[in-house]
C-alpha cells in the first residue's frame, strides 16, 4: 500500500511540474510578445524584404533608426537616417522628417545594433511613427544584429560612407 501512495505522489508531483513548467514557458513567451508594440502583420523577414525590394516598382521608404556609426558602416540600399531613436533628439529628428509625409506612406524601419529583444531604438521609432498616425509601418526582423541577419546572409547593402 505504501509503494502505491509513493508512486501516486511522484506522479502527481511530476504532473504539477509539467503543468506549472509549461505555464511558465507560456507566460514568459506571452510577456515577451507583449513588449513589442507591433503585431506580427507589421513585421517583415529579411528574405521576404529582399524579394519585395526586387519585385516592387514602388519600394517602401526604408528608415534606419539606430546609431549613426552603424549606418555609416553599412546600411540597406536606399535606407535613410533621421536620428538615433533611443534619444530624445533622435526622436525629434525622426518626427520632424516624418511630419510632411502622407500618413499612408509605406515605411519599413530597422536597427540591428544588437539582439532585437534588447534594442533601444526600434520600439521608440515604431511607437513614434504609429502615434503620428502612420498606417503602414513595418519592422524588419533582425533578431540578432544587422551583420548576422542581413550582411552575413549575403543580402545587398551599401558598405560604408
Amino acid at each position: 500500500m505504501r509503494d502505491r501512495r509513493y508512486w501516486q505522489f511522484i506522479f502527481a508531483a511530476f504532473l504539477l511540474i509539467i503543468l506549472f513548467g509549461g505555464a511558465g514557458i507560456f507566460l514568459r513567451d506571452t510577456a515577451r510578445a507583449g513588449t513589442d508594440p507591433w503585431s506580427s502583420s507589421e513585421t517583415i523577414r529579411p528574405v521576404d524584404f529582399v524579394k519585395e525590394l526586387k519585385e516592387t516598382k514602388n519600394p517602401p521608404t526604408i528608415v534606419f533608426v539606430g546609431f549613426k556609426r552603424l549606418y555609416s558602416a553599412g546600411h540597406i540600399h536606399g535606407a535613410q537616417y533621421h536620428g538615433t531613436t533611443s534619444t530624445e533628439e533622435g526622436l525629434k529628428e525622426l518626427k520632424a522628417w516624418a511630419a510632411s509625409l502622407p500618413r499612408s506612406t509605406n515605411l519599413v524601419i530597422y536597427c540591428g545594433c544588437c539582439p532585437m529583444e534588447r534594442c533601444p531604438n526600434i520600439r521608440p521609432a515604431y511607437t513614434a511613427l504609429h502615434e503620428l498616425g502612420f498606417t503602414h509601418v513595418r519592422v524588419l526582423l533582425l533578431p540578432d544584429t544587422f551583420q548576422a541577419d542581413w550582411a552575413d546572409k549575403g543580402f545587398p547593402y551599401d558598405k560604408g560612407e
Side-chain angles (χ1 to χ4, degrees):
M1 189 68 151
R2 184 168 183 225
D3 280 341
R4 185 174 179 197
R5 284 189 191 156
Y6 172 78
W7 287 111
Q8 286 175 335
F9 173 78
I10 295 297
F11 181 71
F14 178 74
L15 286 177
L16 287 172
I17 289 169
I18 297 294
L19 177 66
F20 288 112
I25 290 168
F26 172 76
L27 293 173
R28 184 182 69 233
D29 289 346
T30 302
R32 184 181 310 132
T35 63
D36 294 334
W38 53 80
S39 67
S40 61
S41 67
E42 296 171 307
T43 63
I44 188 163
R45 296 176 321 143
V47 68
D48 297 326
F49 191 49
V50 168
K51 224 184 277 184
E52 180 180 325
L53 291 173
K54 286 180 183 175
E55 295 173 358
T56 185
K57 292 181 181 182
N58 296 317
T61 300
I62 308 166
V63 184
F64 176 79
V65 299
F67 302 100
K68 178 70 172 172
R69 64 181 161 71
L70 293 177
Y71 177 82
S72 297
H75 54 271
I76 296 171
H77 180 70
Q80 303 177 33
Y81 174 78
H82 299 288
T84 302
T85 57
S86 61
T87 67
E88 284 300 316
E89 182 180 320
L91 277 174
K92 284 181 188 175
E93 287 178 43
L94 179 69
K95 290 176 183 179
W97 165 78
S100 64
L101 296 175
R103 295 308 182 247
S104 61
T105 300
N106 182 5
L107 296 170
V108 172
I109 62 173
Y110 79 99
C111 182
C113 69
C114 60
M116 197 165 187
E117 64 189 27
R118 296 190 323 251
C119 181
N121 300 301
I122 200 75
R123 287 167 189 80
Y126 174 87
T127 300
L129 292 168
H130 195 267
E131 287 174 352
L132 286 172
F134 285 91
T135 58
H136 198 116
V137 180
R138 291 179 291 162
V139 174
L140 178 61
L141 295 175
L142 300 172
D144 295 313
T145 63
F146 177 75
Q147 184 68 40
D149 299 316
W150 189 275
D152 290 351
K153 296 209 187 292
F155 297 134
Y157 70 101
D158 294 340
K159 296 175 177 101
E161 285 188 336

